[in-house]
Amino acid sequence: MMARFGFERRDGRNLLVVAAIMTAVMTIVIDAPIVARLIAGMIMGLVSALVFVITTVLIRRYKPDHW
């Protein structure tokens, strides 16, 4: 289904990398007990992944022809 929007396999790997890095960074940066850090880190990782998907799909779909 995502191939219909121009989302490639390589983009899926990049999505996992972005989500993992954001989760790790937020888990380290947030000042709270460990359980709250993990939950907040996972939520921020999911939000980052969603923004990544939306941005990638929009760029692939509406990019100029000369790219």
Side-chain angles (χ1 to χ4, degrees):
M1 182 178 145
M2 292 304 287
R4 187 175 78 186
F5 295 113
F7 198 78
E8 300 171 359
R9 184 179 179 108
R10 166 184 66 174
D11 297 326
R13 279 192 311 253
N14 292 340
L15 169 71
L16 291 176
V17 169
V18 167
I21 290 173
M22 286 304 297
T23 300
V25 168
M26 286 296 136
T27 301
I28 293 169
V29 171
I30 294 173
D31 185 28
I34 190 69
V35 175
R37 285 182 185 195
L38 291 173
I39 293 171
M42 285 188 273
I43 291 170
M44 290 305 296
L46 289 174
V47 169
S48 297
L50 179 65
V51 170
F52 180 86
V53 168
I54 291 170
T55 304
T56 302
V57 168
L58 288 174
I59 287 172
R60 302 262 179 185
R61 190 163 179 117
Y62 297 109
K63 68 181 178 184
D65 291 333
H66 62 275
W67 269 8

